[in-house]
């Protein structure tokens, strides 16, 4: 039996990263450009009135950490108290933003407290987001508003329960201090409540941590940092092997291919896939203006900043993460040694993505047979224009497709009935594309029967990959509105339902419904801005 969980403040802390890597020689906390370091030690700036709003009981239980109740513990999660063994720091990193090299970025509002030795799962990095300014804050305040913190907290956990690699979130603390933001970028800044999320991951290293070193011609440090990544996080790769850097890039390419396939499966749009928001461990990282597809639209992006170019639109994500991997390959070229070898790693992405995407798509419609044969791929491709024609809810559609009969003798009426609720544009269905939908469903049934699909195993497979509950922006927005008024029950309820996204849950159907009309254009529901 596992030992009783310990209080967060009773964890043993170490600061291996800070001890091993070259840090900033300056200790004053002011905005600056740095060189020849991987991080700057900096303490969180205390806040006035920390209050715990939410605690991820699931993550706590996995790690062996008891729910925080003592004010002294909550003050650690707010950045007001530093424990022995912690040496808080902000990472130095750069990144390509919207396709252009942005040079130094760094943790402008995230501060790693240290590596906590969790009773159940070993060392994890605990990082406070919104903990105050660092040398990388540029002109910003280092803080985060409640609205963006609720979104990060809930979505990190939701992503994990969907089975998609992600950084986690342990706690959400209100700071008691106002934070001023111009939410609509329209020159009307307003004060909002501030908050801090305690994020948890094995490491928060990003592509950009490596890119900045090559961009600034610091090859020695590039090797030191990459060796640290290898040793600590990729122990399966021989750290003395000649091809270790190539193998490392292969593995990151593989993980990234799985990651983006997971997003495409559940209809997640990250929204800001800059290289500084790409994890060196293949995790989803930095939840900002993300969104979940509601009416299927391959061109949709939730990010207002990206409205013109739609660089980070849903359907473009596989290409974009490939582009980002190419930037990482360039950054590591001095270590990998040959362009040919780096290209092989990029090929690993293409190959892995091709394979896992195709089997993922097949599983969404209840098939185990590869889409590469019998024209299946082409047939599945015909589904997407149909989804678009009727403005079909991506989540509800695939969940309901499991209810559609594959029996040859099914009446048209009965065939389509389970899907009707998924259509935002019922008119379009009735007037325009009903016949095309029925033809597609008949063909789907025929192909399913031909490959010997059993109704029961089909439903089981589909319900294990097509979630019923996803963290829709309008649900987030409702919970945030209540939380801003001091009512946190909406956050708790969402947290509970999102823990089992593939399971029908009694009394929770209102959290699995289509986006209501009011949310179509409401701020925070359809479009969001960066860095709030
Ligand atoms: P993001 O768009 O959240 O990925 O952030 C891009 C960069 O801006 C990172 O270097 C962040 O640390 C920095 N940043 C975003 N918001 C703030 C803030 N409120 N204060 C300081 N730095 C910030
Ligand atoms: Mg970021």
């Amino acid at each position: 039996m596992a030992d009783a969980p310990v209080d967060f403040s009773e964890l043993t802390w170490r600061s291996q990263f800070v001890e091993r890597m070259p840090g900033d020689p300056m200790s004053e906390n002011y905005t600056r450009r740095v060189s020849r370091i991987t991080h700057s030690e900096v303490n969180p700036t205390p806040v006035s009135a920390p209050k715990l709003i939410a605690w991820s009981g699931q993550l706590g239980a996995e790690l062996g950490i008891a729910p925080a109740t003592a004010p002294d513990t909550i003050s650690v999660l707010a950045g007001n108290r530093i424990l022995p063994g912690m040496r808080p720091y902000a990472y130095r990193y750069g990144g390509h933003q919207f396709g252009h090299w942005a040079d130094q970025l760094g943790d402008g509002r995230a501060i790693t407290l240290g590596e906590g030795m969790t009773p159940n799962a070993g060392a994890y990095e605990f990082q406070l987001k919104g903990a105050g300014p660092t040398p990388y804050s540029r002109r910003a305040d280092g803080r985060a508003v409640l609205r963006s913190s609720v979104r990060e907290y809930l979505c990190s956990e939701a992503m994990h329960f969907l089975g998609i690699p992600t950084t986690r979130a342990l706690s959400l603390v209100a700071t008691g201090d106002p934070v001023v933001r111009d939410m609509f970028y329209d020159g009307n800044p307003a004060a909002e409540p501030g908050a801090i999320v305690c994020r948890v991951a094995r490491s928060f290293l990003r592509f950009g941590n490596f890119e900045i070193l090559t961009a600034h011609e610091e090859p020695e440090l590039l090797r030191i940092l990459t060796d640290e990544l290898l040793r600590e996080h990729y122990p399966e790769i021989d750290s003395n092997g000649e091809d270790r850097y190539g193998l490392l890039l292969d593995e990151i390419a593989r993980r990234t291919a799985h990651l983006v396939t997971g997003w495409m499966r559940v209809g997640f749009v990250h929204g800001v896939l800059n290289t500084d928001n790409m994890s060196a461990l293949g995790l989803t990282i930095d939840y900002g203006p993300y969104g979940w597809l509601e009416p299927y639209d391959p061109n949709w992006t939730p990010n207002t900043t990206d409205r013109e170019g739609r660089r980070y639109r849903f359907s473009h994500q596989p290409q974009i993460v490939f582009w980002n991997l190419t930037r990482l390959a360039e950054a590591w070229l001095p270590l990998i040694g040959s362009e040919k070898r780096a290209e092989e790693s990029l090929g690993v992405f293409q190959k892995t993505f091709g394979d896992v995407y195709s089997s993922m798509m097949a599983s969404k419609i209840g098939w185990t047979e590869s889409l590469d044969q019998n024209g299946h791929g082409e047939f599945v491709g015909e589904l997407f224009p149909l989804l678009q024609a009727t403005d079909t809810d991506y989540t509800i559609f695939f969940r309901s497709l499991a209810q559609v009969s594959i029996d040859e003798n099914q009446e048209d009426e009965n065939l389509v009935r389970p899907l009707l609720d998924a259509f935002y544009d019922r008119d379009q269905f009735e007037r325009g594309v009903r016949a095309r939908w029925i033809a597609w469903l008949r063909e789907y049934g025929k192909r399913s029967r031909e490959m010997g699909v059993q109704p029961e195993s089909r439903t089981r497979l589909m319900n294990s990959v097509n979630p019923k509950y996803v963290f829709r922006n309008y649900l987030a927005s409702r919970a945030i509105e209540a939380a801003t008024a001091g009512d946190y029950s909406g956050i708790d309820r969402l947290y509970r339902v999102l823990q089992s996204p593939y399971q029908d849950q009694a009394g929770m159907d209102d959290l699995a419904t289509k986006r209501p009309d009011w949310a179509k254009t409401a701020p925070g529901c359809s479009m969001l801005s960066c860095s709030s």
Side-chain angles (χ1 to χ4, degrees):
M1 232 181 75
D3 293 333
V6 303
D7 191 85
F8 184 75
S9 64
E10 283 163 9
L11 292 180
T12 305
W13 291 88
R14 68 171 198 203
S15 295
Q16 202 171 263
F17 186 85
V18 171
E19 280 157 19
R20 288 181 179 166
M21 295 294 112
D24 199 337
M26 314 261 281
S27 55
E28 296 92 313
N29 187 5
Y30 66 93
T31 294
R32 59 181 171 268
R33 305 188 53 81
V34 302
S35 65
R36 302 188 189 286
I37 60 169
T38 55
H39 63 277
S40 301
E41 289 192 53
V42 58
N43 281 341
T45 303
V47 299
S48 335
K51 180 175 172 207
L52 185 73
I53 294 180
W55 173 265
S56 175
Q58 286 283 344
L59 177 59
E62 278 170 49
L63 302 179
I65 304 173
T69 50
D72 267 4
T73 305
I74 294 164
S75 71
V76 181
L77 296 166
N80 283 11
R81 195 160 80 96
I82 304 301
L83 299 171
M86 286 178 174
R87 281 175 65 181
Y89 65 94
Y91 282 108
R92 172 195 184 199
Y93 57 77
H96 281 85
Q97 297 191 314
F98 296 95
H100 305 282
W101 175 243
D103 207 38
Q104 179 178 306
L105 298 166
D107 283 332
R109 55 170 166 174
I111 296 179
T112 291
L113 294 173
E115 296 131 33
M117 306 307 291
T118 70
N120 295 351
Y124 268 93
E125 221 184 275
F126 290 77
Q127 184 178 75
L128 301 183
K129 183 165 175 178
T134 76
Y136 307 96
S137 294
R138 293 175 288 162
R139 275 186 295 277
D141 57 7
R143 294 297 183 189
V145 295
L146 177 64
R147 113 183 102 83
S148 68
S149 306
V150 169
R151 288 169 50 83
E152 171 129 19
Y153 169 79
L154 281 173
C155 205
S156 309
E157 293 302 280
M159 195 62 79
H160 169 75
F161 293 115
L162 284 163
I164 299 170
T166 176
T167 63
R168 301 289 300 272
L170 183 64
S171 61
L172 171 63
V173 170
T175 60
D177 295 324
V179 174
V180 175
R181 286 289 180 273
D182 186 355
M183 183 173 167
F184 304 109
Y185 294 127
D186 64 357
N188 291 305
E192 299 183 44
I196 295 175
V197 172
C198 179
R199 306 199 287 193
V200 183
R202 294 282 181 200
S203 165
F204 285 92
L205 284 171
R206 304 145 188 266
F207 290 9
N209 292 77
F210 304 93
E211 288 178 276
I212 189 96
L213 301 178
T214 300
H216 287 233
E217 298 180 26
E218 298 172 22
E220 269 318 298
L221 191 49
L222 178 71
R223 182 181 299 273
I224 290 171
L225 183 64
T226 310
D227 283 343
E228 176 72 7
L229 175 69
L230 263 169
R231 185 174 47 224
E232 284 302 309
H233 304 289
Y234 291 89
E236 68 279 12
I237 298 173
D238 176 2
S239 56
N240 296 310
E242 203 172 325
D243 188 30
R244 60 188 183 276
Y245 302 113
L247 291 170
L248 173 64
L249 188 56
D250 286 353
E251 180 55 20
I252 295 177
R254 222 173 273 125
R255 291 189 189 189
T256 304
H258 282 275
L259 177 69
V260 70
T261 303
W263 296 340
M264 304 309 279
R265 171 168 64 81
V266 298
F268 177 77
V269 189
H270 181 287
V272 207
L273 286 174
N274 294 332
T275 56
D276 51 300
N277 291 337
M278 295 286 295
S279 148
L281 302 191
L283 310 172
T284 314
I285 189 171
D286 279 11
Y287 291 88
Y290 63 80
W292 299 80
L293 276 186
E294 289 178 309
Y296 173 75
D297 175 2
N299 294 319
W300 185 66
T301 172
N303 185 353
T304 44
T305 319
D306 195 21
R307 198 176 353 213
E308 295 303 315
R310 295 186 182 264
R311 180 178 172 86
Y312 299 138
R313 63 190 182 272
F314 176 70
S315 59
H316 209 213
Q317 296 185 112
Q319 269 159 276
I320 283 296
V321 301
F322 180 73
W323 190 90
N324 291 342
L325 272 169
T326 309
R327 303 288 83 75
L328 181 63
E330 286 164 2
W332 272 338
L333 212 48
L335 301 179
I336 293 174
S338 101
E339 258 176 57
K340 192 166 154 287
R341 180 64 186 88
E343 273 161 21
E344 271 174 42
S345 297
L346 296 173
V348 169
F349 174 86
Q350 305 276 36
K351 168 84 175 71
T352 310
F353 178 72
D355 292 349
V356 296
Y357 184 85
S358 155
S359 61
M360 175 279 281
M361 246 5 271
S363 68
K364 277 185 86 64
I365 61 170
W367 292 356
T368 49
E369 197 169 301
S370 164
L371 295 185
D372 297 338
Q373 32 185 320
N374 302 326
H376 290 331
E378 222 168 279
F379 165 71
V380 172
E382 289 165 12
L383 173 61
F384 295 94
L386 277 175
L387 288 174
Q388 215 174 342
T390 37
D391 276 351
T392 313
D393 191 275
Y394 190 74
T395 304
I396 298 176
F397 171 77
F398 282 103
R399 190 76 184 183
S400 311
L401 186 62
Q403 309 298 319
V404 171
S405 166
I406 54 172
D407 184 338
E408 195 174 357
N409 303 314
Q410 197 59 247
E411 306 270 330
D412 285 356
E413 275 316 303
N414 291 337
L415 194 64
V416 297
R417 186 168 300 124
L419 298 179
L420 295 179
D421 185 47
F423 301 139
Y424 288 90
D425 194 343
R426 261 301 269 288
D427 264 12
Q428 200 34 251
F429 174 75
E430 300 296 350
R431 283 186 285 107
V433 286
R434 194 169 190 280
R436 272 171 64 204
W437 262 117
I438 290 172
W440 191 88
L441 293 171
R442 291 245 174 258
E443 178 68 15
Y444 167 60
K446 178 165 166 279
R447 286 174 184 258
S448 302
R449 290 191 304 275
E450 278 168 7
M451 63 181 83
V453 167
Q454 295 304 312
E456 218 172 273
S457 54
R458 166 175 161 250
T459 310
R460 203 172 329 114
L461 173 60
M462 291 174 82
N463 286 352
S464 72
V465 295
N466 298 321
K468 172 156 180 177
Y469 305 96
V470 295
F471 189 41
R472 296 168 185 269
N473 279 349
Y474 87 86
L475 298 175
S477 164
R478 266 195 334 213
I480 289 163
E481 207 171 297
T484 307
D487 172 5
Y488 307 123
S489 60
I491 298 176
D492 294 343
R493 189 158 176 260
L494 278 166
Y495 176 76
R496 213 167 341 119
V497 82
L498 295 169
Q499 268 175 43
S500 308
Y502 300 102
Q503 254 167 41
D504 292 313
Q505 296 171 51
M508 296 293 192
D509 276 0
D510 61 306
L511 301 180
T513 53
K514 284 207 294 280
R515 179 185 71 192
D517 277 344
W518 62 262
K520 195 166 175 182
T521 49
C525 293
S526 49
M527 295 294 264
L528 296 118
S529 56
C530 276
S531 298
S532 46

